[in-house]
Amino acid sequence: MSAAVSAPGSSSLRSRPVVKGFYEKRTGSIQYVVADPETRKCAIIDPVLDFDPSSGTTATVSADELLAYIEREGYRLEWILDTHPHADHFSAAGYLKDKTGAPTAIGEKVVEVQKLWKRIYNWPDSFPTDGSQWDRLFADGERFKVGSLDVEVMFTPGHTLASIAYLVGDAAFIHDTLFMPDSGTARADFPGGSAKALWQSILRIMALPDGTRLFTGHDYRPDGRAPQWESTVALQRQDNKHLVKARTEEEFVALRDARDRELPMPKLILQALQVNISGGRLPKPESNGRRYLKIPLDALEGAHWSE
């Protein structure tokens, strides 16, 4: 398995950011704080806004835990970063932006996701599909800083058409492209997803140096094991249960498509996308002061009915 890719520069590889993962057990999501030990500046990656679908209750417990950690460590928050518009949890980017003033960012292809889901929700023309809900939209290969650390953006579509990974020193935040080796790879059957694109994104990640630390976006704890979220390129290449079975694009697409046909849609996809393509902001309150989510019926394939 190989592919040409621009790996982080040698100076970046000498940098080792401090990475702290926070497991959110309701959705199996991992939030991250990545910090420059030299300047004490940091970024938050993929923060979660708590949501209970049974009661419709929202809360900021998970996001506040990130802020408490940042305060305890004496860090200064520079960025609030999302890797893609999530389908199984609400992003807390909007809440954290209001709370801290730190800029928010996501990949530039989010505008395509906005256009797609705007049609699904039948939203009015007044909803902007230009990514203006974030402070910055990143292109493939774009670079920015967290303190003195160089960060490179890698376009990694497949799970969604807007997915990006962040390469920070010797660490790569690869969202839902690869899970831990015993869980395999991410599904690619959401609107705009592609198993072929996912394979190419995996090749880009696997072309990074063997020791690159990989931090995944979810862990569903197969066989009830404890949550895990850190691996390496070498470990994934050797042990990932999908990559050891599928050595070619054709084999991988067949494996991924067969697996995806067995999976129900995420329980929160219709709720989460309308929040997450709005920069992690809940719908505006209506005349009675309450907020409402809009659920389109019969909009997605993927329901698995019991006999």
Side-chain angles (χ1 to χ4, degrees):
M1 179 181 296
S2 63
V5 65
S6 158
S10 57
S11 61
S12 179
L13 284 175
R14 288 196 294 269
S15 303
R16 186 174 177 88
V18 177
V19 179
K20 174 70 172 177
F22 295 79
Y23 183 74
E24 199 285 301
K25 63 181 180 180
R26 185 187 295 270
T27 62
S29 306
I30 299 97
Q31 313 168 94
Y32 292 101
V33 174
V34 54
D36 174 16
E38 180 179 339
T39 65
R40 312 297 289 178
K41 294 179 180 179
C42 71
I44 289 173
I45 299 177
D46 287 337
V48 173
L49 183 70
D50 304 300
F51 175 65
D52 176 17
S54 299
S55 64
T57 303
T58 61
T60 60
V61 175
S62 295
D64 289 337
E65 186 180 3
L66 306 179
L67 296 179
Y69 168 76
I70 289 170
E71 183 176 4
R72 285 197 307 271
E73 295 297 319
Y75 293 151
R76 189 172 76 182
L77 182 63
E78 282 199 313
W79 287 99
I80 302 161
L81 307 172
D82 273 314
T83 55
H84 64 291
H86 306 275
D88 52 8
H89 69 261
F90 292 5
S91 169
Y95 166 75
L96 291 170
K97 165 75 174 179
D98 293 344
K99 191 83 171 176
T100 68
T104 59
I106 200 168
E108 65 178 359
K109 296 295 184 180
V110 73
V111 299
E112 303 303 324
V113 179
Q114 288 181 316
K115 293 172 185 175
L116 190 160
W117 282 89
K118 179 179 179 178
R119 292 194 298 270
I120 291 174
Y121 292 121
N122 194 33
W123 280 349
D125 292 341
S126 58
F127 177 77
T129 56
D130 58 2
S132 56
Q133 296 86 346
W134 291 266
D135 294 300
R136 187 157 168 187
L137 302 182
F138 289 125
D140 185 35
E142 193 165 349
R143 292 176 181 268
F144 63 102
K145 292 275 193 179
V146 173
S148 63
L149 296 171
D150 290 319
V151 185
E152 182 177 342
V153 176
M154 178 188 287
F155 184 42
T156 51
H159 176 63
T160 76
L161 56 80
S163 299
I164 59 173
Y166 296 101
L167 311 183
V168 189
D170 74 335
F173 298 87
I174 58 171
H175 61 87
D176 302 347
T177 300
L178 293 168
F179 297 131
M180 294 303 292
D182 58 354
S183 294
T185 61
R187 66 190 301 164
D189 62 332
F190 295 157
S194 165
K196 286 188 176 182
L198 182 62
W199 173 254
Q200 294 302 319
S201 296
I202 290 170
L203 291 183
R204 292 193 77 185
I205 294 169
M206 291 296 94
L208 295 170
D210 283 356
T212 303
R213 294 182 289 161
L214 301 181
F215 294 94
T216 191
H218 287 91
D219 185 59
Y220 300 114
R221 304 177 56 205
D223 300 321
R225 64 155 170 72
Q228 298 176 11
W229 50 81
E230 180 179 350
S231 62
T232 65
V233 169
L235 183 64
Q236 289 282 358
R237 189 183 295 118
Q238 174 182 304
D239 293 339
N240 186 286
K241 72 175 190 177
H242 290 166
L243 301 188
V244 298
K245 291 180 180 178
R247 298 292 186 177
T248 67
E249 178 182 287
E250 183 179 11
E251 291 175 349
F252 179 78
V253 170
L255 181 153
R256 190 66 261 170
D257 285 349
R259 174 62 178 148
D260 289 349
R261 283 193 293 269
E262 299 174 353
L263 298 175
M265 280 288 158
K267 294 179 180 179
L268 296 184
I269 185 170
L270 295 175
Q271 295 95 328
L273 262 297
Q274 60 195 287
V275 172
N276 294 340
I277 64 171
S278 300
R281 297 195 177 274
L282 297 171
K284 293 181 179 179
E286 297 190 8
S287 59
N288 62 356
R290 295 194 181 278
R291 305 173 191 268
Y292 293 85
L293 296 170
K294 184 176 183 179
I295 306 298
L297 303 181
D298 301 319
L300 301 177
E301 297 179 0
H304 293 263
W305 308 104
S306 57
E307 295 293 335

